[in-house]
């Protein structure tokens, strides 16, 4: 996340502050860059022979003599690859919380077994990165300009010289598109995509999508709002640009949609509201940003929040604005919203 001392947010800073995604506050850096030892499994692919080629979402084709053995990735990408059996050596991005536990974006990874190059926005230890002798760096993109997520602007050129990079776009498309791309990437890296756990997760995702579509069709009158909280402001995300919300909307979910003019300050992602105006939009269900950089519903003390109909009715659920792009981790996102719709009462 951006440093609290920053006085101006670039477009990337807006996204890191939760834009894309719903937040908008510049939050104090948390965590550290302590690291554990690399996982032995990260070198398993080194034994596989033959060249490796992958064309990413920038249209860039990376070619190596062999499948990458030393992979460094944005935390969420590393978590997705972990679900497919691919282990990375280093990560950057929210990995540990201030109490030393794994961040929500780390998924099921053992964060003590990866080198943490940076835990917050604009933090990336280039020296440690070089020491890993990286074969490839993998991240996501929240724009159409090829900007690698959480790779600092100030050191991106130094980082680029050390290894080729691969980007998976999570910008202005439905969730299924990056899920498919991450599947293809994992497969290219040597993952067994026929493993029972992998194929079962994909089937469960498809079942959950059918359930959500049915729930939305049965409750078209239920209005859902995607929100995120900071100490000073509340952020309402529109469905445009966000991979999860675009997909849920396509399945029929009825969302609160701030006008484009209201989202201009948030780079087109969200509208910022003062807590006094948090009741601007009527919603029956509120989906709240679950990232560790945001204030969670149980910790919001604002009286205006507590008076919202959805809050009073207990119809507040979690949202993962930066989904871990494995089918296993995306199933609960659909199931949670489907269940909320099935149980929801019209309160707004």
């Amino acid at each position: 996340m951006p440093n609290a001392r920053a006085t101006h947010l670039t477009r990337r800073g807006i996204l890191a502050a939760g834009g894309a995604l719903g937040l908008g506050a510049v939050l104090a850096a948390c965590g550290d860059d302590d690291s554990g030892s690399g996982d032995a499994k990260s070198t398993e692919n080194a034994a596989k022979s033959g060249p490796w080629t992958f064309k990413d979402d920038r249209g860039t084709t990376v070619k190596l003599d062999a499948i990458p053995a030393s992979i460094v990735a944005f935390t969420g990408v590393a978590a997705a690859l972990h679900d497919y059996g691919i282990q990375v050596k280093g990560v950057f991005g929210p990995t540990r919380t201030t109490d030393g536990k794994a961040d929500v974006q780390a998924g099921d990874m053992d964060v003590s077994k990866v080198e943490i190059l940076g835990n917050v926005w604009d933090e990336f230890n280039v020296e440690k990165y070089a020491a890993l002798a990286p074969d490839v760096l993998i991240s996501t993109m929240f724009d159409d300009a090829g900007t690698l997520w959480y790779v600092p602007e100030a050191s991106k050129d130094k980082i680029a010289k050390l290894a080729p990079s691969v980007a998976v776009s999570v910008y202005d498309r439905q969730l299924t598109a990056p899920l498919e791309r991450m599947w293809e990437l994992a497969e290219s890296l040597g993952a067994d995509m026929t493993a029972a756990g992998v194929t079962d997760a994909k089937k469960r995702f498809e079942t959950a999508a059918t359930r959500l579509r049915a729930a939305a069709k049965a409750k078209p009158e239920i209005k859902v709002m995607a929100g995120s909280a900071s100490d000073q402001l509340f952020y309402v995300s529109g469905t445009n640009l966000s991979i999860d919300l675009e997909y849920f909307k396509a399945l029929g979910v009825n969302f609160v949609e701030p006008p484009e003019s209201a989202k201009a300050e948030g780079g087109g992602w969200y509208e910022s509201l003062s807590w006094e105006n948090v009741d601007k939009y009527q919603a029956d269900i509120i989906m709240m940003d679950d990232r560790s950089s945001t204030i969670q519903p149980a910790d919001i003390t604002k009286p205006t929040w507590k008076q919202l109909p959805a809050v009073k009715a207990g119809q507040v659920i979690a949202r993962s604005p930066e989904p871990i792009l494995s089918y296993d981790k995306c199933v609960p996102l659909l199931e949670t919203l489907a269940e909320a719709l099935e149980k929801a009462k019209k309160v707004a």
Side-chain angles (χ1 to χ4, degrees):
M1 291 297 144
N3 192 291
R5 294 186 292 274
T7 57
H8 173 71
L9 284 179
T10 62
R11 186 164 184 271
R12 295 180 75 227
I14 287 174
L15 297 179
L21 312 167
L23 174 60
V26 184
L27 299 168
C30 62
D32 52 47
D33 69 351
D34 288 345
S35 60
S37 59
D39 194 309
K41 290 183 179 179
S42 64
T43 61
E44 285 181 354
N45 286 330
K48 298 186 178 181
S49 60
W52 181 77
T53 300
F54 190 82
K55 185 175 181 179
D56 74 0
D57 289 338
R58 298 169 298 185
T60 300
T61 299
V62 177
K63 297 181 180 180
L64 299 174
D65 292 337
I67 293 175
S70 181
I71 301 171
V72 172
F74 171 67
T75 302
V77 170
L81 292 176
H82 172 85
D83 286 353
Y84 291 129
I86 303 298
Q87 308 303 321
V88 306
K89 282 192 173 180
V91 297
F92 55 95
T95 307
R96 281 197 184 120
T97 58
T98 52
D99 58 5
K101 296 179 180 179
D103 189 274
V104 65
Q105 293 190 62
D108 294 331
M109 279 195 304
D110 183 344
V111 299
S112 70
K113 294 184 177 180
V114 291
E115 186 81 51
I116 301 175
L117 305 177
N119 198 58
V120 297
W121 183 253
D122 253 357
E123 180 181 80
F124 192 112
N125 191 314
V126 180
E127 289 72 26
K128 284 186 177 181
Y129 178 56
L132 292 175
D135 293 320
V136 68
L137 179 147
I138 309 172
S139 191
T140 50
M141 296 188 301
F142 279 98
D143 61 26
D144 56 6
T147 307
L148 295 172
W149 191 231
Y150 265 78
V151 172
E153 185 71 22
S155 55
K156 67 177 184 180
D157 292 338
K158 291 181 181 178
I159 293 168
K161 291 178 181 178
L162 294 171
S165 62
V166 166
V168 175
S169 179
V170 289
Y171 175 73
D172 195 17
R173 60 200 59 204
Q174 294 180 26
L175 177 61
T176 46
L179 270 174
E180 290 169 1
R181 291 296 280 148
M182 192 62 69
W183 175 289
E184 294 166 1
L185 177 59
E187 185 173 35
S188 78
L189 292 169
D192 180 4
M193 310 313 283
T194 64
V198 173
T199 57
D200 176 66
K202 192 171 185 180
K203 290 177 182 177
R204 288 188 291 111
F205 180 88
E206 293 164 354
T207 298
T210 299
R211 178 185 176 184
L212 179 53
R213 187 188 297 276
K217 185 176 181 180
K219 297 278 188 77
E221 75 282 4
I222 297 298
K223 201 81 170 178
V224 180
M225 179 167 67
S228 189
S230 72
D231 184 57
Q232 298 298 319
L233 297 169
F234 183 82
Y235 307 88
V236 180
S237 290
T239 58
N240 188 32
L241 305 182
S242 297
I243 58 172
D244 62 328
L245 302 185
E246 284 198 14
Y247 183 53
F248 298 156
K249 182 180 180 180
L251 292 175
V253 179
N254 183 12
F255 280 99
V256 166
E257 294 283 6
E260 291 301 315
S261 58
K263 295 187 295 180
E265 220 175 280
W269 296 87
Y270 61 88
E271 177 180 0
S272 305
L273 298 175
S274 66
W275 283 102
E276 289 75 18
N277 296 315
V278 73
D279 61 352
K280 177 178 179 179
Y281 298 107
Q282 299 299 306
D284 304 293
I285 295 173
I286 302 176
M287 301 175 68
M288 288 296 290
D289 189 337
D290 70 353
R291 292 173 300 170
S292 57
S293 57
T294 70
I295 300 177
Q296 297 306 300
D299 300 318
I300 300 175
T301 59
K302 308 292 184 182
T304 48
W305 163 260
K306 295 181 179 180
Q307 291 305 308
L308 292 177
V311 176
K312 293 172 71 174
Q315 296 181 171
V316 178
I317 63 174
R319 174 195 172 210
S320 298
E322 291 185 62
I324 293 173
L325 296 172
S326 71
Y327 286 100
D328 180 70
K329 292 300 182 291
C330 288
V331 169
L333 310 185
L334 277 67
E335 291 181 336
T336 298
L337 181 52
E339 182 179 7
L341 283 169
E342 291 163 355
K343 296 180 177 179
K345 296 180 180 180
K346 185 68 181 174
V347 295

